[in-house]
Amino acid sequence: MMLRAWLIFVLCSLHLLVSQLYRTTNAVLAPWLLEDLRLDTEGLGLLSAGFFYAFSLTQIPISIFLDKVGAKRLMIGLSFLGMAGALLFSLAQGLGMGLAGRLLLGVGMACNLMGPLKLLMEWFPPSGFATVSGLLYAIGTLGSIAAATPLVLLVDQLGWRLSFHVIIALHLLLTLALFWVVQDRPLEKCAPSEPIQPRSPFGSLGILMHSRDYWIISAGTFVRYGTHAALQTLWAGPLLMEALRFSPVQAGNILLALNIGLILGGPLWGAVSDRIFRTPKWVVAGGMLLLALITLGLRALPPGTSIFIASAIFLAFGIASASGMHVYAHIKALVPKDMAGAAMSGTNFFTMMGPAVFLQGLGIAMQSLYPEASRGPEAFNTALLICVVCQAGIGVLYLFTRAK
């Protein structure tokens, strides 16, 4: 059984890796997209935000049907929609077609975190859930690493459109493997020893809507991942290349440091949660406050700063941000098992809505306040200050959630 469980873990991790790769490509592709699709700063923000709007809204039906339909079927069906979206995006000639592709891609990737978490909950013991999910996040983050320097090198050789076709081919192979290998739960769990009265999925959502903890946890993940992904998936590229004057390859290497931080932080915070605090609450709250301090340090970087200092700041940013991945273990511990899928998906709605709002909102703020230099140092300083205030505020609020 454990061999099958770890095979499922590997496939789940690779599907999360592909999702991370798709969502973070725009940070590196920004210069090509601005030219090929004839975009301005606001249009680039909208193009990137579209993925997250679609991803987050798709969490609503996923939260209703994940516990009933099963993770495997949802992941496979949505993956084919995602491949169609990726192909459409790769053929885009302007904002309209590019946005349509990113929207469809967001729908297609919407179950590549909740599905794996649901499968891990069935195949691994509860006492190690935060640790195993931390490993899942770490491997998934390799997709963000692939979207940094390796993607730059691939695009240099093939162009960004053909590079997307390579990613689609990899995605298709992984989806076929998912079909052949994965089952939703171990056989012994398929026939319960006593009848269980199923809970209405709409009833589960009603319970969540009346939970103060759910709203605070959701607000925490909205801000944490919103500010993180706004930087990682788009604005870090222009910040590093245009405001801080790094070359594209140097910017890719600095983004690599951020993703290494995420890889280190995921399992680290998971182990701290499971073995020291016995709850994810203090890991998430402390990590959020630490993230605010690091973002403040990032804001202080001057143009022409050394690549070593910039990489160290981005590495620390990734480690601190990884603590927020454990909001799912937190909400899972606060609800009955039969509504865990709905609770995690409901939380994930806010996780993915955060980047949509921050990506587009920061782009609008930078364009409106600095119309003549919307990607200059002052514009980025203002955007980062907005992030710091939001991170610190929600970090304090998170202290008022229940531990378990």
Side-chain angles (χ1 to χ4, degrees):
M1 172 177 163
M2 286 311 298
L3 176 60
R4 182 70 171 269
W6 284 109
L7 284 174
I8 291 172
F9 169 83
V10 170
L11 276 176
C12 285
S13 299
L14 291 175
H15 275 267
L16 182 58
L17 183 155
V18 169
S19 178
Q20 293 283 357
L21 174 59
Y22 279 133
R23 78 178 64 170
T24 53
T25 51
N26 283 10
V28 168
L29 297 181
W32 291 277
L33 297 176
L34 285 165
E35 180 179 353
D36 288 359
L37 305 187
R38 299 176 295 281
L39 303 175
D40 59 13
T41 302
E42 185 174 341
L44 185 60
L46 175 60
L47 183 70
S48 298
F51 177 98
F52 294 98
Y53 279 125
F55 194 116
S56 60
L57 290 173
T58 309
Q59 298 309 305
I60 297 174
I62 288 176
S63 68
I64 294 172
F65 296 110
L66 180 58
D67 290 316
K68 304 298 178 183
V69 175
K72 176 180 177 177
R73 281 186 284 182
L74 282 179
M75 289 176 67
I76 291 173
L78 290 176
S79 285
F80 281 103
L81 288 179
M83 285 180 259
L87 180 61
L88 183 62
F89 179 70
S90 73
L91 301 175
Q93 299 299 320
L95 177 60
M97 189 173 176
L99 181 59
R102 293 294 291 182
L103 288 169
L104 191 56
L105 187 53
V107 173
M109 296 299 98
C111 201
N112 278 13
L113 176 58
M114 290 303 98
L117 288 177
K118 176 67 175 175
L119 289 168
L120 297 185
M121 187 182 76
E122 296 289 349
W123 284 89
F124 290 88
S127 60
F129 182 81
T131 300
V132 175
S133 60
L135 289 171
L136 173 78
Y137 305 139
I139 296 174
T141 300
L142 292 174
S144 300
I145 289 181
T149 306
L151 180 60
V152 171
L153 298 175
L154 183 64
V155 171
D156 282 342
Q157 293 296 315
L158 302 179
W160 73 270
R161 298 178 189 275
L162 189 56
S163 296
F164 252 77
H165 297 168
V166 173
I167 299 171
I168 293 168
L170 171 64
H171 188 187
L172 176 60
L173 291 176
L174 290 175
T175 302
L176 295 175
L178 186 74
F179 174 79
W180 288 109
V181 174
V182 172
Q183 63 185 51
D184 284 311
R185 59 185 60 86
L187 291 176
E188 56 268 28
K189 290 188 177 181
C190 294
S193 55
E194 57 184 40
I196 298 175
Q197 183 64 34
R199 188 190 305 270
S200 163
F202 296 98
S204 297
L205 290 178
I207 293 172
L208 289 176
M209 295 303 101
H210 289 87
S211 168
R212 185 196 67 172
D213 291 311
Y214 169 73
W215 288 109
I216 296 177
I217 291 170
S218 296
T221 194
F222 176 89
V223 171
R224 193 283 305 182
Y225 193 59
T227 55
H228 169 97
L231 187 69
Q232 179 194 37
T233 66
L234 179 60
W235 297 121
L239 168 65
L240 291 168
M241 289 184 280
E242 299 182 39
L244 299 181
R245 304 172 188 167
F246 290 106
S247 70
V249 172
Q250 287 176 322
N253 289 333
I254 294 170
L255 285 173
L256 180 63
L258 184 151
N259 292 305
I260 290 173
L262 284 172
I263 290 174
L264 296 175
L268 170 67
W269 294 119
V272 169
S273 175
D274 281 337
R275 299 175 187 176
I276 298 177
F277 293 121
R278 306 291 182 181
T279 173
K281 170 184 173 175
W282 303 113
V283 161
V284 177
M288 184 70 69
L289 294 172
L290 180 59
L291 187 64
L293 289 174
I294 295 168
T295 306
L296 197 60
L298 176 60
R299 184 174 180 268
L301 292 180
T305 192
S306 77
I307 190 172
F308 175 79
I309 293 175
S311 298
I313 292 287
F314 272 80
L315 176 69
F317 187 99
I319 292 173
S321 182
S323 65
M325 298 173 179
H326 296 288
V327 293
Y328 304 107
H330 192 185
I331 192 64
K332 169 186 168 292
L334 299 179
V335 301
K337 182 178 179 181
D338 65 328
M339 60 179 285
M344 290 189 296
S345 298
T347 300
N348 202 41
F349 168 83
F350 291 94
T351 300
M352 303 311 296
M353 185 59 75
V357 172
F358 277 96
L359 276 165
Q360 188 175 9
L362 294 178
I364 291 172
M366 293 160 69
Q367 186 77 47
S368 301
L369 296 174
Y370 305 93
E372 303 300 323
S374 62
R375 297 193 297 275
E378 290 186 358
F380 280 110
N381 282 344
T382 298
L384 290 171
L385 181 59
I386 293 171
C387 295
V388 169
V389 171
C390 293
Q391 291 162 349
I394 203 61
V396 172
L397 183 61
Y398 208 98
L399 296 173
F400 293 92
T401 58
R402 286 184 296 145
K404 266 192 179 180

